[in-house]
Amino acid sequence: MHRFLLGLIQLNSGTDVDLNLQKCENFIREAASEGAKLIGLPENFPFLGSEKEKLERAEEIKTKTIDLLSDISKKLNITILAGGFPNPAPNGKVFNTSIIFGPDGKEKFEYHKIHLFDTDPGDGIEYRESRTVESGHIIPETYKSPELGNISSVICYDLRFPELFREIMKKDAEMIFVPSAFTKITGLAHWEVLLRARAIENQCFIFAPAQTGTHLKGRETYGHSLVVDPWGNILGDAGEGEKILLTEIDLEEVQAVRKKIPALKHRRNI
């Protein structure tokens, strides 16, 4: 399939897991009814609350998330990217995990976020993801979907590390998801330019479903879920608020751009 309809779901997730997942299901069903075959959810889609509660409820969040998305992907015959949710780690922390569910309802891809958001960006909130999250250590694989093409994913803060994307390109990726809960202050400054840069550098599609609005304790996320093509063009921008961003994807653009400027073939080890 060279052309297909992509659906990115932009959310304002909170602490009510059941409500968050119900919103996800409603949006997924709506996107599928419009013809979307690939649907992406943002980071923290089933829960965005306190770190303490995240740890306490990690097993519940994981189980409910996987049960829902496995079931609905099979029922609707679609592929879903679960953008980032807590997955219990052996040391008492959690992994921030993304999973791709195929149209048969089975897990096709799993990735644990490598780069953790330990920063003070200037919005009055101290972010220390490593207090509760264990860093992953495995480069994302590529799911070679017979229906859609070659799909991979990073998570949010990974966006700032271009070397990770270069490693993914060694695994034949044509599309890379960047599910995120980007802060408003950093989103205003860097979101668009970084996403476009990663698309241009790697001559691939970038799909970035995002959190939006105000969350627990005044935390603000930027929204503006984006779809960027391999030439760096923005094909879709969700702006602010909860919604579905539907975009037609022509996968032939990947090879067309790589033929125009074969930069990936011209790389040298220096």
Side-chain angles (χ1 to χ4, degrees):
M1 180 184 292
H2 295 296
R3 291 178 179 267
F4 63 88
L5 192 64
L6 168 74
L8 298 186
I9 297 175
Q10 184 161 285
L11 295 171
N12 176 249
S13 296
T15 60
D16 188 328
V17 175
D18 292 329
L19 176 60
N20 293 332
L21 291 177
Q22 185 60 61
K23 286 195 294 186
C24 290
E25 180 176 357
N26 293 343
F27 278 130
I28 289 168
R29 289 187 180 277
E30 182 180 347
S33 72
E34 294 287 336
K37 290 298 182 183
L38 177 62
I39 296 174
L41 294 162
E43 184 183 29
N44 300 326
F45 65 93
F47 179 83
L48 186 48
S50 74
E51 297 300 292
K52 180 176 181 292
E53 187 177 359
K54 179 176 72 176
L55 287 180
E56 292 172 348
R57 303 183 65 187
E59 189 63 48
E60 172 202 354
I61 296 168
K62 173 189 174 184
T63 299
K64 288 181 174 181
T65 295
I66 290 176
D67 286 351
L68 170 65
L69 298 182
S70 175
D71 180 64
I72 198 169
S73 60
K74 184 175 183 180
K75 284 181 177 177
L76 300 179
N77 192 37
I78 56 175
T79 301
I80 300 174
L81 181 280
F85 61 92
N87 184 353
N91 61 358
K93 293 184 179 183
V94 297
F95 293 112
N96 188 342
T97 301
S98 64
I99 291 178
I100 294 175
F101 296 87
D104 58 0
K106 296 181 179 179
E107 296 180 24
K108 306 297 184 181
F109 166 100
E110 181 175 295
Y111 166 65
H112 300 321
K113 185 179 183 182
I114 292 174
H115 301 99
L116 303 184
F117 194 58
D118 288 357
T119 73
D120 298 283
D123 60 359
I125 299 176
E126 179 187 70
Y127 299 88
R128 293 293 179 266
E129 190 175 15
S130 65
R131 286 175 181 163
T132 57
V133 178
E134 180 70 14
S135 175
H137 300 285
I138 299 175
I139 301 296
E141 297 294 333
T142 295
Y143 166 45
K144 297 184 177 181
S145 164
E147 299 87 10
L148 301 170
N150 299 346
I151 309 166
S152 191
S153 179
V154 298
I155 300 176
C156 200
Y157 191 47
D158 287 329
L159 175 61
R160 294 183 181 272
F161 300 87
E163 63 273 17
L164 177 60
F165 286 74
R166 281 301 202 208
E167 291 300 314
I168 294 172
M169 296 315 296
K170 295 177 182 177
K171 302 182 181 186
D172 301 321
E174 298 168 305
M175 302 164 269
I176 301 177
F177 275 98
V178 188
S180 297
F182 238 67
T183 65
K184 186 172 183 179
I185 189 171
T186 58
L188 284 165
H190 302 145
W191 176 245
E192 179 183 316
V193 68
L194 286 174
L195 291 169
R196 294 186 67 203
R198 297 297 89 84
I200 294 166
E201 290 166 350
N202 298 291
Q203 301 179 314
C204 68
F205 281 97
I206 297 289
F207 305 148
Q211 290 282 347
T212 183
T214 303
H215 311 269
L216 185 70
K217 296 183 179 180
R219 175 176 176 175
E220 291 186 278
T221 51
Y222 183 57
H224 292 275
S225 299
L226 288 188
V227 179
V228 187
D229 76 8
W231 196 249
N233 297 310
I234 295 175
L235 303 184
D237 182 340
E240 299 178 351
E242 294 189 311
K243 65 188 68 172
I244 304 166
L245 177 65
L246 295 170
T247 310
E248 185 176 18
I249 302 301
D250 182 358
L251 207 59
E252 291 186 353
E253 286 299 312
V254 174
Q255 296 308 319
V257 168
R258 292 177 183 180
K259 184 176 181 180
K260 288 178 184 177
I261 303 178
L264 293 174
K265 291 182 179 180
H266 290 163
R267 287 191 72 226
R268 296 291 181 264
N269 293 321
I270 55 176

